[in-house]
């Protein structure tokens, strides 16, 4: 027999069922059924959120990298103080908390599926944080269908504190999204003209891409959209300076 999906798709139906049990008030809501545990919609939403999490964490990383002071409290409260002790601390706490939980879930899944053994797991020493986030997201995405239907916690409601994989992914995505909205990533304009269109549109990219922990330099002219790494931009500026010096 199919069972109602434990995801947020059935929140209204569950509330109506509670009212029915308490007061006898009938309702005409139909639950979304699991396939076999969680519905196709919740699986699709979990996959989309999982794809977006590395990009959201990269945006949070930029906030920490540029040490912009937080206008509000951290999204995930891991300290008793509301105010970050130093600029960028909130971003670091958010990223570290989500990454730790992602890696814990990935380890759990790979162990449950017999791919990793408890006594023999690969070391993460020397792997950059960005690579760890990307690798973890890929692992979870590869095993998402199994997680959503067969993980021991797959039947738990998507409530905060539960171990349902779909609920965990939803929580990480919501926390990162709230953080980015609370910590806007302002463009850092560059003075050199774009080497392609010559327009004054170069800025450090805030659309979530990093190379060697530095943001890309991107032309914001929609007809150009030239992209340079920070190192390439530095070389370009030196060349421009040399031309100006020769003409002086």
């Amino acid at each position: 027999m199919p069972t109602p999906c434990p995801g947020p798709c059935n929140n209204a139906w569950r509330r109506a069922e509670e009212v029915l049990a308490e007061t006898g008030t009938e309702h005409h809501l139909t639950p979304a059924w699991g396939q076999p545990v969680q519905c196709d919609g919740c699986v699709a939403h979990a996959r989309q959120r999982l794809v977006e999490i590395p990009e959201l964490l990269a945006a949070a990383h930029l906030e920490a990298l540029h040490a912009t002071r937080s206008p509000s409290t951290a999204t995930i409260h891991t300290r008793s103080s509301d105010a970050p002790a130093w600029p960028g601390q909130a971003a670091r706490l958010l990223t570290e908390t989500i990454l730790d939980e992602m890696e814990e879930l990935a380890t759990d899944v790979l162990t449950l599926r017999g791919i990793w053994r408890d006594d023999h797991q690969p070391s993460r020493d020397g792997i950059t944080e960005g690579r760890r986030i990307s690798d973890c997201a890929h692992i979870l995405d590869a095993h998402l269908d199994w997680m959503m239907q067969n993980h021991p916690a797959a039947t738990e409601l998507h409530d905060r504190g539960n171990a349902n994989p779909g609920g965990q992914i939803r929580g990480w995505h919501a926390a990162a999204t709230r953080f980015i909205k609370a910590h806007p990533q302002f463009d850092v304009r560059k003075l050199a003209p774009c080497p392609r269109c010559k327009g004054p549109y170069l800025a450090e990219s805030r659309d979530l891409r990093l190379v060697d922990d530095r943001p890309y330099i991107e032309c914001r002219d929609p007809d150009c959209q030239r992209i340079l790494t920070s190192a390439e931009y530095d070389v370009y500026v030196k060349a421009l300076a040399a031309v100006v010096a020769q003409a002086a």
Side-chain angles (χ1 to χ4, degrees):
M1 291 292 292
T3 58
C5 175
C9 58
N10 279 328
N11 284 346
W13 174 79
R14 281 190 287 269
R15 286 194 295 269
E17 286 288 290
E18 291 174 0
V19 171
L20 173 62
E22 293 172 359
T23 68
T25 302
E26 296 287 345
H27 67 84
H28 302 285
L29 299 179
T30 302
W33 299 106
Q35 303 294 330
V37 177
Q38 303 194 58
C39 70
D40 292 339
C42 282
V43 174
H45 288 144
R47 193 179 302 281
Q48 181 59 39
R49 293 180 182 119
L50 189 58
V51 168
E52 294 173 359
I53 285 172
E55 297 182 346
L56 291 169
L57 293 182
H61 173 79
L62 287 175
E63 193 274 338
L65 185 68
H66 292 279
T68 55
R69 191 166 296 277
S70 305
S72 63
T73 60
T75 303
I76 294 181
H77 299 285
T78 56
R79 296 173 63 92
S80 59
S81 173
D82 285 339
W86 44 269
Q89 184 192 31
R92 296 305 315 142
L93 290 173
L94 175 87
T95 302
E96 291 167 4
T97 300
I98 292 178
L99 177 56
D100 286 347
E101 292 180 2
M102 289 177 68
E103 289 182 334
E104 182 178 353
L105 179 58
T107 299
D108 183 38
V109 168
L110 293 176
T111 302
L112 286 169
R113 305 205 73 183
I115 299 171
W116 284 0
R117 301 199 315 265
D118 287 332
D119 59 345
H120 183 71
Q121 296 179 9
S123 172
R124 300 185 180 100
D125 294 343
I127 302 177
T128 65
E129 184 177 76
R131 179 62 184 272
R132 287 168 60 196
I133 293 170
S134 177
D135 288 350
C136 198
H138 285 144
I139 290 172
L140 294 177
D141 181 59
H143 295 272
L144 183 68
D145 290 329
W146 182 89
M147 286 192 303
M148 297 291 283
Q149 311 301 349
N150 299 290
H151 189 277
T155 59
E156 296 181 5
L157 297 182
H158 289 208
D159 290 341
R160 189 171 184 175
N162 286 352
N164 187 307
Q168 290 190 65
I169 293 169
R170 182 169 174 249
W172 301 332
H173 186 275
T177 300
R178 285 195 300 269
F179 183 90
I180 298 306
K181 289 181 178 179
H183 301 71
Q185 305 298 307
F186 299 106
D187 285 346
V188 177
R189 298 293 298 273
K190 295 296 183 180
L191 296 179
C194 174
R196 175 184 290 166
C197 70
K198 308 304 179 184
Y201 306 115
L202 289 181
E204 289 184 0
S205 174
R206 287 294 179 274
D207 59 0
L208 320 175
R209 292 168 294 181
L210 297 174
V211 172
D212 297 328
D213 291 330
R214 299 178 66 191
Y216 275 98
I217 310 301
E218 183 176 17
C219 180
R220 297 307 173 87
D221 186 331
D223 295 326
C224 179
Q225 296 184 323
R226 174 67 182 272
I227 294 175
L228 304 168
T229 66
S230 293
E232 290 171 338
Y233 176 79
D234 293 343
V235 171
Y236 167 59
V237 170
K238 289 180 180 179
L240 282 180
V243 171
V244 172
Q246 290 177 355

